[in-house]
């Protein structure tokens, strides 16, 4: 067999494999799963609290399967919803997101926004996410109608945690919250939410879209029991058996998704730490609707008693 014929067959096999992987990655991007995690942060004897963590929905009007799956989460009847941003993927998505959230808007909720609530998505080379951060945040594009989404959430009774504190009573449990605006855009005002977390509450939770270390360090140092974040998409395109190749921020890839600890760096003699939950989220950029070894997810966090 001549060299050219062998080379042609190799190229053909590569093209078939590439097309197969692309088809699989497009399928996985729509293969939504509910992940369930217990987080031991409540005082002894306190009844467990079921918290639905939603993030990175990146909704476009035509994504009917995602809308149906999101609507079905209302059947979980959680005690609380935490939304960590990147809800939008299109200028006409606000009513679509509000409609898909359905009965979840009747549940107490808190929220912060991410860059993809504020700014329209842009076409980027997907490989760019694997390279060092160039600092370009593509904010020179049309803004998305995030104020309408904010009004929709506020009218539902959800609390805006953008660079602020808030306290929520859910059943018998009092939760002291702090939240920041999106650190990926540098909009986190850490001074606005600095200081020891409220000890009089039953549990202290901090919320951010992107889990940048400066934010995690401050919330852990201030005594928050758990920090809830999105943004990473869990790495989005992962290597089976290896995991995430990027977090799109300065968080290590080992914590790209799931429940981990975040140590109190400023107090080396103190082994204290916060829980960190990062969700891989439900969506992708509309320009890269693929996922590999990283299913799109929502997470049901069950807060349980410590120890
Ligand atoms: Fe996102």
């Amino acid at each position: 067999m001549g060299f050219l014929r062998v080379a042609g067959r190799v190229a053909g096999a590569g093209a078939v494999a590439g097309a197969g992987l692309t088809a699989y990655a497009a399928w996985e991007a729509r293969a939504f799963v509910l992940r369930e995690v217990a987080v031991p942060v409540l005082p002894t004897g306190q009844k467990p609290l079921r918290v639905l963590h939603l993030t990175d929905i990146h909704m476009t009007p035509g994504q009917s399967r995602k809308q149906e799956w999101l609507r079905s989460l209302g059947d979980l009847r959680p005690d609380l919803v935490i939304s960590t941003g990147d809800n939008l993927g299109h200028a006409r998505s606000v009513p679509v997101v509000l409609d898909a959230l359905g009965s979840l808007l009747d549940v107490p909720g808190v929220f912060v926004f991410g860059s993809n609530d504020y700014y329209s998505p842009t076409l980027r080379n997907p490989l760019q996410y694997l390279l060092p951060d160039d600092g370009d945040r593509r904010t020179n594009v049309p803004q998305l109608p995030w104020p309408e989404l904010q009004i929709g959430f506020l009218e539902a009774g959800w609390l805006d945690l953008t660079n602020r504190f808030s306290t929520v009573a859910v059943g018998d449990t009092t939760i002291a919250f702090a939240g920041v605006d999106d650190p990926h855009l540098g909009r986190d005002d850490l001074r606005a939410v600095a200081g020891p977390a409220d000890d009089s509450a039953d549990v202290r939770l901090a919320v951010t879209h992107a889990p940048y270390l400066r934010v995690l360090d401050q919330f852990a140092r201030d005594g928050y029991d758990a920090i809830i974040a999105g943004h990473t998409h869990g790495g989005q395109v992962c290597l089976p058996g290896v995991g995430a190749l990027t977090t799109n921020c300065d968080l290590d890839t080992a914590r790209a998704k799931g429940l981990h600890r975040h140590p109190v760096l400023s107090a080396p003699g103190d082994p204290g730490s916060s829980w960190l939950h990062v969700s891989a989220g439900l969506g992708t950029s509309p320009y890269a609707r693929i996922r590999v070894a990283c299913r799109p997810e929502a997470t049901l966090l069950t807060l349980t008693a410590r120890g």
Side-chain angles (χ1 to χ4, degrees):
M1 188 181 296
F3 172 77
L4 287 178
R5 190 178 296 174
V6 171
R9 285 189 178 179
V10 168
V16 169
L21 180 61
T22 303
Y24 171 79
W27 172 84
E28 184 173 320
R30 301 168 66 190
F32 308 109
V33 292
L34 180 72
R35 198 159 49 77
E36 300 195 35
V37 179
V39 192
V41 289
L42 295 181
T44 308
Q46 197 88 15
K47 212 173 109 193
L49 203 70
R50 297 164 75 244
V51 178
L52 182 64
H53 179 196
L54 298 174
T55 196
D56 296 87
I57 297 170
H58 292 270
M59 186 72 85
T60 59
Q63 291 180 314
S64 53
R65 183 185 296 191
K66 190 192 288 181
Q67 290 152 28
E68 281 166 29
W69 194 83
L70 193 51
R71 198 173 289 113
S72 74
L73 295 178
D75 296 342
L76 295 171
R77 303 176 67 85
D79 300 306
L80 176 75
V81 176
I82 296 179
S83 168
T84 50
D86 274 11
N87 298 276
L88 306 178
H90 191 281
R92 294 198 306 273
S93 290
V94 170
V96 179
V97 168
L98 293 173
D99 181 60
L101 287 171
S103 62
L104 291 172
L105 290 174
D106 301 329
V107 171
V110 298
F111 67 96
V112 289
F113 285 147
S115 57
N116 286 279
D117 295 300
Y118 296 124
Y119 296 105
S120 301
T122 56
L123 181 62
R124 303 187 80 154
N125 178 353
L127 295 177
Q128 201 167 349
Y129 287 105
L130 301 178
L131 301 173
D133 186 359
D134 62 6
D136 181 3
R137 295 295 182 260
R138 306 282 182 103
T139 54
N140 190 21
V141 296
Q143 288 211 27
L144 291 172
W146 63 268
E148 293 171 27
L149 187 63
Q150 184 187 40
I151 289 169
F153 286 170
L154 292 173
E155 284 182 345
W158 286 14
L159 296 172
D160 187 346
L161 293 176
T162 302
N163 294 327
R164 66 183 64 154
F165 301 105
S166 199
T167 300
V168 181
V170 183
D172 305 338
T173 306
T174 308
I175 308 172
F177 276 107
V180 286
D181 203 352
D182 187 7
H184 192 59
L185 295 175
R187 295 169 71 142
D188 50 310
D189 184 353
L190 285 171
R191 282 190 298 182
V193 287
D198 182 358
D199 243 355
S200 66
D202 295 311
V203 60
R204 291 141 288 277
L205 301 180
V207 177
T208 176
H209 173 64
Y212 277 83
L213 295 178
R214 63 179 184 274
V215 178
L216 307 183
D217 288 346
Q218 176 170 308
F219 283 142
R221 197 166 55 235
D222 286 344
Y224 285 87
D225 299 297
I227 306 164
I228 313 296
H231 174 72
T232 65
H233 297 192
Q236 190 166 324
V237 175
C238 298
L239 287 182
V242 174
L245 301 173
T246 178
T247 61
N248 198 20
C249 64
D250 59 2
L251 185 70
D252 44 287
T253 51
R255 295 188 290 171
K257 67 176 177 184
L259 186 69
H260 297 91
R261 302 291 280 183
H262 190 75
V264 180
L265 299 177
S266 62
D270 177 356
S273 60
S274 298
W275 290 103
L276 169 65
H277 182 259
V278 180
S279 170
L282 275 165
T284 67
S285 161
Y287 295 109
R289 286 180 175 165
I290 53 168
R291 282 185 180 242
V292 176
C294 186
R295 298 277 287 268
E297 65 178 29
T299 316
L300 187 63
L301 303 168
T302 301
L303 309 190
T304 60
R306 294 185 198 99

